[in-house]
Amino acid sequence: MSVTPRQTGTVLDEIIAGVLTDLRGRQELVEEAGLREAAELIDPPLDPQRALRADGLSVIAEVKRASPSKGHLAEIRDPSVLAGNYQAGGATAISVLTEARRFNGSLADLDAVRAGVGIPVLRKDFIVTEYQVLEARAHGADLVLLIVAALDDAELETLYRLIRRLGMTALVEVHNAEEARRAAHLGASVIGVNARNLKTLDVDTGIFAELLPQLPEQTVKIAESGILTLDDALAAHRAGADAILVGEALVRSGDPAAFIASIREATSS
């Protein structure tokens, strides 16, 4: 699959340009055929959907060192230890940022987390090529993030089908009504509504409730970004979220397991 040329201008454009530069370096070291072989040999992916649909508000807990909007967030010496704490608190899945330039992540973090927990793991990155999807599976990911704003319809369809073919789950992320329409047309079974506009980095915490009526009823609905407190989590739950994706609040928390447990307890009947 060829990658559509992108003009720089927005924050998202700039991030993707860096991602593609770093990707070329990895492609020189590991051929695609080698990734395909590794993806076939690794343990089958876990299906997160039943747990994400469970009673109460599920939590996808994120291993996140930095962000473009906040800069440095936390020193994470051992991602597997942090992920283990997340799992102990009741997290449904672990999100691992693997983008290096703005988030200080890596595939090594993904490897460490996969080896350290027994729950589904999401590769969270700016996925624009099939090679990156194969990387995700070869490194043990069960879910892969697809950002609708970063892809045209043909790219979105191709990457989504590859993720499904490899047995993984796509978390299809949207930011506005048009993107929600595209995700629904794709047939996405898991849709995340990101309150942060990746083109401007502005946050609109009301966007989940605004877009909810446009998401297919049967999809898993995830609220992303802007969830910093228990009250924020409860608001997302009341708005109709099946799950939340939380990073900053957890890595800055002195006891992330307790924070996750408080969310689960407050939203479970």
Side-chain angles (χ1 to χ4, degrees), residues 57-59 70 195 203-206 208-209 222-241 243-246 248-250 259 262-263 266-267:
L57 185 66
S58 297
V59 178
K70 299 290 184 68
V203 174
D204 176 3
T205 55
F208 181 88
I222 301 174
E224 305 174 22
S225 295
I227 299 170
L228 301 176
T229 67
L230 176 59
D231 285 345
D232 294 333
L234 295 176
H237 183 55
R238 289 193 298 269
I244 53 174
L245 194 155
V246 186
E248 178 185 344
L250 292 177
F259 187 19
S262 69
I263 294 171
T267 60

Side-chain angles (χ1 to χ4, degrees), residues 24-46:
R24 285 190 287 272
R26 298 197 303 277
Q27 288 173 314
E28 291 176 358
L29 296 174
V30 180
E31 293 184 355
E32 185 171 311
L35 281 180
R36 290 186 180 275
E37 182 178 353
E40 292 176 358
L41 294 174
I42 199 166
D43 290 341
L46 303 173

